[in-house]
Amino acid sequence: GRQIVPVKLRRRDGQPLHFEVSAARRQDALAGAVVSFTDVTERWQTEFLKNCQLGFLRALGSPDEDAALLGALEQIGLSVNGTDVGLWEADARGVVRLRAVWSRAGYDPTTEPSTQAVPSALVTRAMSSRGLSFSEASPARPVGESLGVPVLNGEHALGAIEISAPDFAGFDDAQAAHLTGLGNYLGIYCAQRRSAADFARSLEELNRVSGERLRLMRLLVEAHEDERRTIAADIHDDSLQILAAVGLRLHTLRRRVNDEAARSTLGAVEQMVGTAISRLRGLMFNLRPTGIDHGDLLGTIRDRLTQVQQDEGIEFSLAGSEPVALTTAARVTLYRVAQEAIANVVKHASASHISVSVEERDDGCLMQITDDGAGFGAAAASPPGHLGLPSMRERTEVAGGWLR
């Protein structure tokens, strides 16, 4: 047979019927043809709902969340010949608010859903029962004119879809499964959106806390350096001057004394005072090397390495050029890290040679410190009075760098 035309009819209750009409020649001796009517309503409905589902999923793929929800609600409305579709969503406190609205007559994007709108009993029932909820029926409308579809993520109700469909004749099992499935899809979408929003908020809070921590660390480092500078100045202006005066008077007194035993004792005391002065000068250098404030990072590191060579017998090599673009704060950070690294070599490595290189790179400075000793693990306990590797790393990160 050959198909003539598809036919769409409605039953008395308004339910649509779809037929395919075809004709074929009679197989007997009589003239004429045999006309066949095939009911394809179920097949048509399956294809129609499938297309609506595909349109629904395509809509949710939009990067614009408002456009995605509006497009999804439109496909839901079209699938049941609805006039209005609203999405109600519960927030973290359980308050249900109208999130998005679609209307067959057209949606004005400048009109936002009212946050003061109160969900209907239809929405409340759909969320509490986690199943389809229909409006009150009447003899003329056996299924009512509105229904609520729960928006579920697993067993958790995130909200409900409220559909007004006064022109729809009725809902069969296929349409009920269709709407339930779309509600579940929308629940997964909303849950993922919430998870992404929660992650974004957590990341923002983490960045805020990290930034605050770096700010406090920077203030702590600055306060530490200011205190070092103050102590070094006090030593220079007070203790060192007094000891220098004592040493000078001892020297003068020793020259005036004729008793050899007394001269020897005064000489020993003068030597002790000289040793104390030397140590105070070394302490001043460690507290705040003067070369740092004059932009001499390499010279300051060389002085420290020379002192280690004299005290510990460890040879050194220093290579590179002065990083002229660095701020004083950055130079202080590099020197403190180098100072701590050299102290670790002396304390733990049993090394005979230390190598330090400094070079400008990528608008910054790269400093490398190596030795030929045994070293110690990153997890080893820091010596008392020293920063340790974690604090060295934190100090470097405060200055915008890294330590490896």
Side-chain angles (χ1 to χ4, degrees), residues 56 60 69 72-73 76 85-90 96-97 99-100 122-133 147-163 179-194:
F56 174 89
L60 289 184
L69 291 177
L73 296 183
I76 293 174
V85 183
L87 172 62
W88 295 83
E89 188 176 8
V96 181
R97 290 188 173 87
R99 176 65 181 83
L122 197 68
V123 171
T124 304
R125 286 201 306 270
M127 292 183 63
S128 60
S129 67
R130 296 180 178 81
L132 297 181
S133 175
L147 75 154
V149 181
V151 175
L152 303 177
N153 180 36
E155 295 297 322
H156 181 55
L158 303 181
I161 306 166
E162 186 175 16
I163 305 173
L179 293 174
T180 300
L182 295 188
N184 292 336
Y185 277 127
L186 196 55
I188 295 173
Y189 174 83
C190 291
Q192 291 177 341
R193 177 170 52 83
R194 287 186 181 184

Side-chain angles (χ1 to χ4, degrees), residues 51-359:
N51 290 333
C52 289
Q53 290 169 2
L54 292 175
F56 174 89
L57 295 176
R58 280 195 295 267
L60 289 184
S62 171
D64 186 329
E65 181 180 325
D66 292 333
L69 291 177
L70 186 60
L73 296 183
E74 178 184 19
Q75 292 300 318
I76 293 174
L78 294 177
S79 68
V80 294
N81 197 24
T83 56
D84 297 281
V85 183
L87 172 62
W88 295 83
E89 188 176 8
D91 60 19
R93 296 175 298 173
V95 179
V96 181
R97 290 188 173 87
L98 188 59
R99 176 65 181 83
V101 177
W102 171 83
S103 175
R104 185 200 300 172
Y107 176 71
D108 183 1
T110 63
T111 304
E112 297 294 334
S114 173
T115 57
Q116 302 299 322
V118 178
S120 65
L122 197 68
V123 171
T124 304
R125 286 201 306 270
M127 292 183 63
S128 60
S129 67
R130 296 180 178 81
L132 297 181
S133 175
F134 294 92
S135 62
E136 296 297 330
S138 66
R141 307 289 302 180
V143 296
E145 297 184 355
S146 301
L147 75 154
V149 181
V151 175
L152 303 177
N153 180 36
E155 295 297 322
H156 181 55
L158 303 181
I161 306 166
E162 186 175 16
I163 305 173
S164 177
D167 299 330
F168 201 62
F171 298 90
D172 57 18
D173 291 343
Q175 290 155 339
H178 163 74
L179 293 174
T180 300
L182 295 188
N184 292 336
Y185 277 127
L186 196 55
I188 295 173
Y189 174 83
C190 291
Q192 291 177 341
R193 177 170 52 83
R194 287 186 181 184
S195 297
D198 291 342
F199 176 76
R201 283 192 295 268
S202 298
L203 186 59
E204 181 180 357
E205 179 65 13
L206 180 62
N207 289 335
R208 186 192 68 80
V209 171
S210 179
E212 182 66 13
R213 172 179 165 275
L214 289 177
R215 186 184 72 84
L216 293 176
M217 280 291 298
R218 189 176 293 111
L219 292 176
L220 180 62
V221 169
E222 291 174 358
H224 193 189
E225 290 301 325
D226 288 342
E227 188 66 18
R228 283 172 173 265
R229 189 185 296 108
T230 301
I231 295 174
D234 289 343
I235 291 174
H236 178 271
D237 297 338
D238 186 76
S239 303
L240 198 60
Q241 299 301 324
I242 292 174
L243 285 175
V246 169
L248 182 60
R249 291 188 180 186
L250 284 171
H251 179 72
T252 302
L253 181 61
R254 183 171 59 85
R255 293 179 61 183
R256 292 181 179 179
V257 172
N258 295 323
D259 184 83
E260 189 63 31
R263 287 170 61 90
S264 177
T265 301
L266 288 173
V269 174
E270 183 182 358
Q271 185 177 6
M272 291 174 61
V273 172
T275 302
I277 291 175
S278 297
R279 290 186 177 181
L280 282 176
R281 291 187 185 278
L283 178 60
M284 284 177 52
F285 177 82
N286 288 332
L287 285 172
R288 187 69 179 188
T290 56
I292 289 291
D293 294 319
H294 297 89
D296 187 12
L297 175 63
L298 259 65
T300 306
I301 295 176
R302 182 180 291 105
D303 290 343
R304 177 60 182 154
L305 290 170
T306 300
Q307 183 180 355
V308 169
Q309 184 183 41
Q310 294 172 354
D311 296 343
E312 306 294 337
I314 301 177
E315 300 296 327
F316 71 89
S317 60
L318 178 62
S321 58
E322 186 67 36
V324 295
L326 290 184
T327 62
T328 300
R331 284 190 175 88
V332 170
T333 297
L334 284 171
Y335 174 72
R336 293 300 178 203
V337 172
Q339 184 182 35
E340 182 65 21
I342 293 170
N344 287 337
V345 172
V346 173
K347 293 286 186 178
H348 303 282
S350 300
S352 61
H353 188 273
I354 302 174
S355 176
V356 180
S357 66
V358 179
E359 62 175 301

